[in-house]
Amino acid sequence: MGIAMLKLQRLKNIRGIDPLMLLFYILSLSLLLFVFVTLANMIVGQVLTDFAGLVETAASKPVIKSIFLSLYAGFIATMISFLLGVPTAYILARKNFVGKRFVESMLDVPVVVPHTVAGIALLTVFGANGLLGAPLEPYIQFRDAMPGIIVAMLFVSAPYLTNSAREGFKSVDPKLENAARSLGAPLWKAFAFVTLPLASRHLLIGSIMCWARAISEFGAVVMIAYYPMIGPTLIYDRFLSQGLSASRPIAVLLILVTLTIFIAMRILSAGWRVYDKDQ
Amino acid sequence: MIKINDLHRNWKEFRLTGIDLEIADGEYFVILGPTGAGKTLLLELIAGFHQPDGGKISIGGKNVTGFPPEKRNIGFVYQDYSLFPHMNAEKNIEFGMRMRGLMSRGGSKVKAKSKSKIEEVAGYLNIGHLLHRHSQTLSGGEQQRVALARALVIEPDVLLLDEPLSALDPGTQAMTRKILKGIHNDSKLTVIHVTHDQTEARILADRIAVMMDGRIVQIGTPDEVFDRPIDVRVAHFVGVENVLKGEVTASSNGISMIDIGGKMLEAISECPVGDTVYACLRPENVTLSKTDINSSARNSFEGRLLEMDRMGALVRVKVDLDGGFLLNAFVTKPSAEELGLAFGEPLVVSFKASAVHVV
């Protein structure tokens, strides 16, 4: 210990690095490697050992269908989250009311609830005999159908968009809205031309997070809609019936597709910094 | 005319109580008060950003109390300018016209008229060369002029200014003060200007309302407010550095004798004998000399120099009147040198009876 400290001390003298910062660098590197190695090992391993299998999987119809369904259902869930979450976020950012903390905690609950629990809860509402599922039965089915996938994704992913949007609206000084109002803008115009553009980066990041979360959801979706199979369900299904070697190519494919999309979106949005409060 | 009747509002830690104001057309009206007095809240109520709990606001004879801000035709400028950070200076200035549809609808004639109005105002404020600059890259003074232009191009009925100079450095402050004065002189626009700065109020105001703890405590011309504050608190706030407690011992023909710590002060006042009063004397109205000079000043006392602070253009001198009280006086730097001011030096202080205001 003493020697180690001495070495650290010397390092500090040589490189000007504080021992605490060195410790933090090492720990953060461990975390980074943990994530990176896990994913890279799977992807690289697949590409090196069984590239033909990956190509074959990419050409298989059920696989393409399931991955597309994940993206598509996730996208719709994100759209609905946006429509409902943005007004909610604006109210939370601008207004104070009794029970606001309760409302905020309530909106965050889906983040902490185990996903299978969320699935059960959703079934009791949207299942064939559920609170809403039963009266809606003649018009729309949730169980083992697209709407079921969407409500499950919506439930678990909406908080990400709402929270990000709320932070975005909070970062826009209400005085800017006041100034716009004084210049003749009704509230909706002040919102559309001042608040919304200034919060747009937060809204975009929130939407990406929301979509990513929706695509990655498995537990809640599988409880309410095993079929039609989304990507994660298909991977699970193949894993149980045919083992690791059959499910891994699908997993690799799913992660490659989603990573490509998210990296592209991040690059596109990187230059999109219209406003930072502390700039 | 802007008329405010019995306005009430509680908001967070601020409480406005029974605000009554009448501001004439073309008047430059300053609301002066310490931080936390509720000045900004009052201004925001006039603008319509908040709704009052009670009372009435009318602008130009129209009761606008329940109106949203966009229907009041006001110009509003904040201390931190509040330019839209995602627009350049020109887009900021155009904003009000765009909201009124003057930049798109109504044909090119209307648009051309709007454009020329913007150019005119930008030229007047000397920001024509800044129009294409991004608002966040401008200096404080430039941003403030853009904010003024933005408020002025919509030709408001009243211009509301919330501490418009407080965030600027002294040089820019003086320049912007001149601009504000110029705008007011040239356009005869009604201006309501909120500030905690006495100098600003004194230079710009036609009339001043002093606000404290959510109430208007005094309204008057700058001379009235600064020379004849209504009570001790206002006196302290408007920079009357000598507020002396005493007792009236004699009073006749509008002249009162006031006993302050054994010294007799002569003041223009009609207070009844036996009253406990406060004599207010501005430090700039006190004359210092080495020996008793024969002047029209009715009050003359001997004392010793206790403290001396250089404050730039002026020197503040604290004089201990032997066996009496302490008195603050301002002298210019050359006269301080001429008097050879030094600690403990004997001095004669004198001031006119009319310089003493009794509350």
Side-chain angles (χ1 to χ4, degrees):
Chain A
M1 186 63 201
I3 293 169
M5 284 307 286
L6 209 72
K7 276 187 172 166
L8 279 174
Q9 195 58 45
R10 194 173 301 154
L11 204 103
K12 182 186 174 185
N13 293 342
I14 297 166
R15 306 284 305 275
I17 298 174
D18 190 277
L20 183 70
M21 283 316 291
L22 185 69
L23 183 66
F24 282 6
Y25 289 138
I26 293 168
L27 293 176
S28 73
L29 195 64
S30 316
L31 181 63
L32 190 68
L33 284 174
F34 171 58
V35 176
F36 181 76
V37 168
T38 307
L39 292 176
N41 182 51
M42 176 182 71
I43 297 168
V44 174
Q46 179 69 42
V47 172
L48 292 184
T49 60
D50 187 16
F51 188 68
L54 183 65
V55 174
E56 195 185 315
T57 307
S60 129
K61 216 159 185 193
V63 172
I64 295 172
K65 244 177 101 175
S66 72
I67 290 180
F68 178 74
L69 183 63
S70 280
L71 298 176
Y72 179 63
F75 185 74
I76 293 181
T78 305
M79 291 291 105
I80 299 173
S81 295
F82 194 91
L83 195 71
L84 304 177
V86 167
T88 309
Y90 187 71
I91 293 170
L92 291 174
R94 282 289 181 268
K95 300 287 173 191
N96 282 313
F97 49 88
V98 182
K100 182 173 170 181
R101 290 189 85 106
F102 174 76
V103 171
E104 284 178 324
S105 323
M106 200 67 201
L107 292 168
D108 271 338
V109 165
V111 177
V112 295
V113 166
H115 297 172
T116 42
V117 174
I120 298 283
L122 285 161
L123 266 180
T124 62
V125 175
F126 294 98
N129 300 315
L131 188 65
L132 292 174
L136 291 174
E137 173 94 69
Y139 316 104
I140 183 170
Q141 260 119 55
F142 294 93
R143 191 76 206 259
D144 284 334
M146 179 81 157
I149 298 173
I150 292 170
V151 290
M153 286 178 167
L154 179 65
F155 186 82
V156 297
S157 65
Y160 293 88
L161 204 160
T162 311
N163 285 335
S164 182
R166 185 188 58 199
E167 289 316 303
F169 290 139
K170 268 191 183 168
S171 76
V172 179
D173 195 333
K175 283 188 203 161
L176 293 174
E177 286 174 17
N178 285 346
R181 301 287 304 269
S182 78
L183 293 165
L187 183 59
W188 76 266
K189 279 189 178 176
F191 182 75
F193 296 124
V194 175
T195 318
L196 213 50
L198 292 178
S200 59
R201 198 175 149 75
H202 277 91
L203 296 183
L204 181 72
I205 288 171
S207 301
I208 294 175
M209 291 290 293
C210 179
W211 193 25
R213 187 66 198 79
I215 292 170
S216 63
E217 182 53 26
F218 167 67
V221 173
V222 86
M223 303 291 289
I224 195 166
Y226 198 92
Y227 299 101
M229 279 194 201
I230 55 168
T233 313
L234 185 68
I235 292 166
Y236 179 71
D237 188 79
R238 290 281 167 91
F239 180 69
L240 285 190
S241 60
Q242 299 171 37
L244 182 64
S245 59
S247 58
R248 191 172 70 172
I250 313 173
V252 170
L253 202 63
L254 182 62
I255 201 165
L256 286 179
V257 171
T258 48
L259 271 182
T260 311
I261 293 173
F262 292 133
I263 289 171
M265 293 194 79
R266 283 238 85 111
I267 291 171
L268 285 177
S269 70
W272 191 7
R273 177 162 299 182
V274 286
Y275 173 56
D276 268 321
K277 200 181 182 185
D278 304 318
Q279 202 172 10
Chain B
M1 176 146 81
I2 293 160
K3 234 175 149 168
I4 295 166
N5 295 110
D6 198 29
L7 202 68
H8 290 260
R9 168 74 183 180
N10 281 347
W11 186 70
K12 291 187 179 169
E13 65 268 35
F14 300 106
R15 176 195 296 264
L16 296 187
T17 326
I19 305 285
D20 284 300
L21 286 177
E22 265 187 36
I23 297 154
D25 284 335
E27 190 169 25
Y28 200 115
F29 194 84
V30 170
I31 298 169
L32 178 67
T35 310
K39 308 181 297 282
T40 298
L41 180 57
L42 174 57
L43 204 65
E44 291 192 333
L45 280 165
I46 298 171
F49 303 153
H50 297 272
Q51 286 299 323
D53 298 333
K56 203 178 116 181
I57 300 168
S58 67
I59 299 175
K62 195 160 65 174
N63 182 358
V64 298
T65 313
F67 282 30
E70 64 269 20
K71 297 242 189 283
R72 298 191 180 198
N73 199 32
I74 44 151
F76 199 103
V77 176
Y78 274 114
Q79 174 181 351
D80 58 3
Y81 332 120
S82 293
L83 295 181
F84 305 129
H86 55 311
M87 301 177 192
N88 67 16
E90 187 171 20
K91 291 270 176 242
N92 264 281
I93 299 171
E94 280 177 9
F95 190 86
M97 289 172 162
R98 277 216 310 278
M99 291 303 112
R100 286 164 170 71
L102 298 177
M103 298 303 293
S104 49
R105 288 202 309 268
S108 58
K109 224 175 181 177
V110 177
K111 190 175 172 182
K113 207 177 151 201
S114 306
K115 281 274 180 202
S116 79
K117 174 82 189 169
I118 289 169
E119 271 168 30
E120 180 200 328
V121 173
Y124 183 87
L125 291 170
N126 196 20
I127 49 172
H129 58 297
L130 303 174
L131 289 181
H132 294 286
R133 289 267 295 278
H134 203 266
S135 53
Q136 301 305 84
T137 67
L138 302 172
S139 74
E142 290 166 346
Q143 288 194 47
Q144 192 60 296
R145 279 181 282 154
V146 172
L148 274 170
R150 184 176 70 176
L152 288 172
V153 290
I154 59 168
E155 298 181 347
D157 292 332
V158 54
L159 183 62
L160 305 175
L161 307 172
D162 181 22
E163 304 259 5
L165 307 176
S166 302
L168 303 173
D169 62 75
T172 317
Q173 240 175 36
M175 185 188 74
T176 313
R177 228 166 23 216
K178 241 182 212 158
I179 291 173
L180 289 175
K181 190 122 200 164
I183 291 170
H184 181 248
N185 285 340
D186 296 346
S187 67
K188 281 293 154 218
L189 184 65
T190 312
V191 181
I192 304 179
H193 175 139
V194 154
T195 184
H196 63 263
D197 187 298
Q198 311 166 32
T199 319
E200 221 169 287
R202 191 154 212 177
I203 293 176
L204 291 168
D206 292 328
R207 276 197 308 152
I208 296 172
V210 182
M211 192 165 176
M212 280 175 166
D213 297 330
R215 289 171 194 277
I216 302 288
V217 288
Q218 186 174 5
I219 300 177
T221 64
D223 283 348
E224 280 167 353
V225 169
F226 285 97
D227 294 338
R228 296 191 288 284
I230 198 162
D231 60 23
V232 174
R233 285 183 65 210
V234 175
H236 279 298
F237 181 67
V238 299
V240 176
E241 299 199 12
N242 303 299
V243 180
L244 310 160
K245 192 176 177 182
E247 197 186 314
V248 181
T249 54
S251 187
S252 65
N253 299 328
I255 305 259
S256 296
M257 299 300 290
I258 303 166
D259 179 353
I260 295 167
K263 302 267 182 201
M264 298 306 280
L265 222 75
E266 219 172 283
I268 309 270
S269 148
E270 301 209 338
C271 285
V273 173
D275 263 19
T276 301
V277 295
Y278 291 88
C280 302
L281 175 63
R282 296 194 71 88
E284 62 267 32
N285 292 335
V286 179
T287 311
L288 293 183
S289 53
K290 272 302 207 191
T291 51
D292 202 351
I293 43 167
N294 199 5
S295 76
S296 65
R298 304 288 284 267
N299 296 292
S300 191
F301 303 100
E302 286 175 8
R304 279 173 195 286
L305 191 143
L306 193 66
E307 257 178 54
M308 203 162 78
D309 291 318
R310 282 176 225 290
M311 315 195 308
L314 294 174
V315 180
R316 177 201 274 115
V317 180
K318 191 168 253 177
V319 184
D320 185 4
L321 305 186
D322 303 327
F325 46 90
L326 297 176
L327 210 58
N328 289 302
F330 287 158
V331 291
T332 60
K333 215 172 142 215
S335 55
E337 276 162 14
E338 207 171 298
L339 286 164
L341 293 182
F343 177 75
E345 283 290 305
L347 280 172
V348 176
V349 299
S350 50
F351 46 91
K352 293 179 179 177
S354 60
V356 182
H357 170 65
V358 179
V359 294

